Amino acid sequence: MTAFDAAAGRRGRAIENIYPLTALQQGMLFHTELADEPGMYWVQDGMLLEGELDQDALRRAWELMFTRHEVLRTTVVREGVATPLAVVSRSVPLPLRFIDVSHLDEAGRREAVDAHLTSDWESGADFAAPTLVRIVVIALAADRHQLVWSYHHMLLDGWSAPIVVAELMDAYQAFRAGSEPRLPARRPFRDFVGWVSRQDLDAARAYWRERLAGITEATSLGIEHATGDEGPGEALVPLSAEVAGTGLTEFARRHRLTPNTVVQAAWAAVMSLYSGGDDVMFGVTTSGRDGQLDGMESMVGMLLNTTPVRIRVDRDELVTTWLTRLQDEQVRARQYEHTSLVTIAACSELPAGKPLFNSLFVFENFPVQDLEEEERNAAASGLRAGMNYGREQANYPLSVTASSGRELQIKLSYDRSQVDADTIDRMAGHIARVLESIVADTGARVGELSVLSAGERELVVEGWNASSSVGLPVVGGVHELIVRHAVVSPDAVAVVAGEESLTYGGLMARASRLAGHLRSVGVGAESVVGLCVSRGVDSVVAVLAVWLAGGAYVPLDPEYPVERLEFMLADSGVEVLVGEGRVGGRPGRCRRERAGVRAAVCGRAGRVCRGWRFGGGAGSGWSASGRGDDGRVAVGLGRAGSGCAR
């Protein structure tokens, strides 16, 4: 039995079409099924109707919408098929109900509306029903009605909803006037599904492999933690009147940019601040209506897609140059914006099952002009209509949504179980401040964009620097503070790195042994010691040892390419190098000559390194050193009992 026959027989109705879900629809369905809480990807739109309502005309208008738009007659079949399928019925019973609560007092009416919204939200999508849409009209008074239109997000995107509502109001006015609606023809959603299935996946994979090269983990903002709270939260970015009004759009026009590019860049700058990195990545939801398919700009369905956007924040680059580069990258990415996240993730270097991003950016630019016109027409005929409610839930702990109506508005939506409100409020202020700095158009560089609010700047510059606020002990350096604490509390934990920890007593014992060894090879005042050590307990020990020996240290990241390490060693004048076997991004990589320090760098395993003998006696905790032909010294960090011999 074919999927067509199975769907028709099981559901007992005539089937018009069956086609596969798009990649985004599959993802939405997957997360809906996995969600622990109700409401995942369920959308509720509310419209307040004031004036005399013709219920029969409204019913006929909704029936026409279901006839015109196949997505409203669509459900999903998951059983008995290899992959989920969209099933379009020729007709479905209109899921419209009228509820009368006009006999209740104001508090009772409000409670009744809230109760319906809650019940509808908790019910979510009924995939056994012939449609994933529900419509309720609640009579609050003879001339006042609340319409609630709810649906699964996989049916309609934010671009499509205003189109349907505008047509609904147009049809309502026509039926009420005793005429037939004259609505424009629209290309069916199934044409988009077919077009997407014919895209060149090989070219898309090549693009995404190049775009994501080097990314091994999602950008973490460092703000997620268990808050003990629950539910969704929202906060508005406090934009100045200038930025929200015409300031941003005029800046964008002046430099031939889109407002979308400018706001995305501001979000990238804030992400860079919070993550501490200059290479950030977040998800971006695009409308998917870029004209690659005729008629897609007026199509009703789920055309949008979410793809990763990677932005390098070069602090030395001029802001305008940076923004132009970002926009050029966006134009190129648009060719591949319909690639599924599953395919994109497979092209990345992230471990399987790990998310590409933890935050989502959306720039809404929906076609609301027709809807506003129909609302004005309805008002002229005695029925005022206006959207007054909206709710949906996405699958990300933090989403940034910008909308460009009469004024720019930016909203932060977040999961209150993972992020606290105070952090979101501060972040909203930082976004506003960065946008103000960009729009000021002072010819600044990216690193000069102001982030701190006036209050935060005052706190950092004055509050935290008040000489009377903190009494510091009279000591010569940080290492003396550590020595003093080790004497008082030797068993207290001093360093924690992953599952490894070290007490103050253990830290001093290991650092003192290494310091003695450093002094024995000439480290003292004015000495410069290179530390090529991975972040962890050993790096803290090495830093303290250099201080105890009287020297200064230059940090060298073992993940850096060898060429960069060579330059840093030569430029800093390092004479003694403390390091591991993991250098230049490759475990156990040794080179005899490195910027004049002709010595191997030995790691914990005590492997053989060219021309040098590393090794410590049992219990020593640190290895011996090697001296190069030019007198420079390399000290290997080894463990007791390990060795490295020629």
Side-chain angles (χ1 to χ4, degrees):
M1 182 180 293
T2 67
F4 188 97
D5 295 330
R10 183 163 57 249
R11 298 175 184 271
R13 62 178 184 274
I15 303 300
E16 178 179 294
N17 210 334
I18 293 180
Y19 45 77
L21 299 180
T22 65
L24 183 65
Q25 288 176 321
Q26 290 183 38
M28 287 181 168
L29 178 63
F30 176 76
H31 288 297
T32 299
E33 294 174 329
L34 285 186
D36 295 327
E37 298 181 0
M40 180 61 66
Y41 288 117
W42 188 246
V43 181
Q44 292 178 327
D45 288 333
M47 175 180 285
L48 185 63
L49 307 174
E50 296 180 293
E52 183 182 352
L53 177 66
D54 186 332
Q55 292 190 6
D56 182 63
L58 182 63
R59 179 185 294 276
R60 291 179 65 191
W62 271 116
E63 287 174 344
L64 181 59
M65 294 304 101
F66 275 73
T67 299
R68 281 176 55 81
H69 304 300
E70 62 182 0
V71 294
L72 301 181
R73 293 177 274 115
T74 299
T75 189
V76 175
V77 170
R78 297 166 292 176
E79 302 169 0
V81 292
T83 58
L85 297 171
V87 178
V88 183
S89 300
R90 293 190 184 279
S91 64
V92 297
L94 184 65
L96 171 63
R97 290 192 300 139
F98 289 91
I99 301 174
D100 189 352
V101 299
S102 60
H103 60 283
L104 302 176
D105 59 17
E106 182 178 352
R109 294 194 296 269
R110 186 165 53 248
E111 183 178 341
V113 173
D114 291 343
H116 168 73
L117 291 172
T118 300
S119 174
D120 177 73
W121 183 264
E122 291 179 349
S123 297
D126 179 6
F127 291 101
T131 175
L132 303 179
V133 179
R134 290 194 290 268
I135 310 160
V136 170
V137 178
I138 305 173
L140 307 174
D143 59 352
R144 199 160 183 262
H145 296 77
Q146 177 66 57
L147 185 150
V148 178
W149 174 33
S150 52
Y151 51 90
H152 198 286
H153 201 0
M154 72 169 67
L155 298 185
L156 296 164
D157 54 26
W159 187 286
S160 300
I163 295 176
V164 174
V165 175
E167 287 190 358
L168 175 75
M169 300 307 298
D170 189 345
Y172 172 81
Q173 296 302 317
F175 287 135
R176 191 179 186 194
S179 60
E180 288 297 318
R182 300 179 63 181
L183 302 176
R186 300 189 187 277
R187 194 164 186 175
F189 178 68
R190 61 177 177 271
D191 288 358
F192 171 77
V193 176
W195 174 80
V196 168
S197 68
R198 296 190 296 271
Q199 298 308 294
D200 186 348
L201 268 183
D202 290 337
R205 290 190 182 100
Y207 169 80
W208 288 112
R209 274 194 294 269
E210 175 193 350
R211 195 77 188 95
L212 303 181
I215 296 289
T216 57
E217 61 181 357
T219 302
S220 173
L221 300 179
I223 61 175
E224 299 90 351
H225 63 98
T227 64
D229 208 342
E230 59 182 17
E234 288 186 355
L236 289 177
V237 173
L239 298 174
S240 66
E242 179 186 2
V243 172
T246 60
L248 187 140
T249 54
E250 289 179 354
F251 169 85
R253 188 180 303 113
R254 191 160 57 246
H255 294 284
R256 298 183 177 180
L257 302 166
T258 64
N260 182 9
T261 297
V262 179
V263 181
Q264 265 196 48
W267 174 233
V270 171
M271 285 189 69
S272 177
L273 169 70
Y274 277 74
S275 67
D278 57 6
D279 192 357
V280 300
M281 190 161 70
F282 52 94
V284 169
T285 298
T286 55
S287 69
R289 300 168 187 265
D290 54 4
Q292 297 185 64
L293 176 67
D294 290 341
M296 67 191 321
E297 70 283 350
S298 62
M299 193 177 288
V300 171
M302 172 52 69
L303 278 71
L304 63 78
N305 195 22
T306 299
T307 55
V309 165
R310 180 182 187 179
I311 294 181
R312 292 179 174 86
V313 183
D314 185 346
R315 303 184 186 282
D316 295 327
E317 196 170 9
L318 289 174
V319 170
T320 51
T321 304
W322 180 52
L323 293 173
T324 301
R325 175 168 59 81
L326 298 188
Q327 183 155 293
D328 291 343
E329 291 172 357
Q330 289 178 7
V331 170
R332 185 185 175 206
R334 202 165 296 151
Q335 303 175 59
Y336 309 103
E337 66 180 353
H338 292 292
T339 312
S340 74
L341 268 181
V342 173
T343 300
I344 296 173
C347 296
S348 74
E349 299 174 21
L350 274 74
K354 294 294 183 180
L356 288 167
F357 44 82
N358 297 319
S359 64
L360 187 67
F361 179 91
V362 183
F363 194 94
E364 296 179 341
N365 189 21
F366 302 146
V368 298
Q369 296 83 359
D370 291 344
L371 175 57
E372 292 174 347
E373 181 180 352
E374 292 305 329
E375 289 176 350
R376 288 192 295 269
N377 293 339
S381 64
L383 182 67
R384 296 184 302 278
M387 304 301 294
N388 68 336
Y389 181 80
R391 183 183 181 186
E392 62 180 282
Q393 181 174 334
N395 189 44
Y396 298 96
L398 176 62
S399 298
V400 181
T401 304
S403 55
S404 58
R406 293 182 179 87
E407 288 190 342
L408 175 68
Q409 185 181 79
I410 303 175
K411 176 181 66 177
L412 301 183
S413 305
Y414 61 100
D415 184 346
R416 293 192 299 166
S417 69
Q418 300 185 54
V419 188
D420 62 78
D422 290 342
T423 297
I424 290 296
D425 288 341
R426 284 194 299 273
M427 179 177 284
H430 293 152
I431 295 174
R433 189 71 188 98
V434 170
L435 280 172
E436 290 172 6
S437 298
I438 292 175
V439 171
D441 204 5
T442 60
R445 299 186 182 277
V446 175
E448 296 169 343
L449 291 174
S450 179
V451 176
L452 300 180
S453 66
E456 288 173 326
R457 183 173 296 278
E458 181 180 356
L459 176 63
V460 172
V461 175
E462 299 181 11
W464 290 349
N465 286 313
S467 58
S468 60
S469 61
V470 179
L472 294 176
V474 181
V475 294
V478 175
H479 59 292
E480 294 188 16
L481 286 175
I482 297 174
V483 171
R484 180 175 299 180
H485 197 83
V487 172
V488 176
S489 305
D491 296 325
V493 175
V495 186
V496 176
E499 298 181 356
E500 189 175 7
S501 63
L502 197 62
T503 64
Y504 275 93
L507 173 63
M508 282 304 304
R510 290 174 57 177
S512 296
R513 284 196 293 269
L514 180 57
H517 187 67
L518 291 173
R519 283 192 291 267
S520 72
V521 295
V523 174
E526 306 299 326
S527 297
V528 180
V529 179
L531 298 184
C532 194
V533 187
S534 299
R535 184 176 300 179
V537 170
D538 283 345
S539 63
V540 178
V541 171
V543 168
L544 181 56
V546 173
W547 286 342
L548 291 173
Y553 73 90
V554 174
L556 305 168
D557 191 335
E559 296 295 332
Y560 283 169
V562 169
E563 292 74 15
R564 185 170 181 180
L565 291 174
E566 289 176 343
F567 170 79
M568 294 175 70
L569 287 171
D571 187 60
S572 61
V574 167
E575 295 183 354
V576 177
L577 174 64
V578 177
E580 301 173 326
R582 183 182 178 87
V583 180
R586 300 183 184 178
R589 183 173 183 177
C590 298
R591 289 183 57 162
R592 185 178 181 88
E593 295 187 5
R594 184 172 287 112
V597 183
R598 288 190 286 274
V601 181
C602 185
R604 295 185 178 186
R607 57 174 292 171
V608 174
C609 303
R610 297 182 188 173
W612 296 99
R613 186 178 188 84
F614 293 92
S620 68
W622 295 94
S623 71
S625 66
R627 184 175 298 275
D629 297 338
D630 61 354
R632 293 184 180 179
V633 176
V635 178
L637 268 63
R639 291 297 189 184
S642 68
C644 181
R646 216 183 324 202

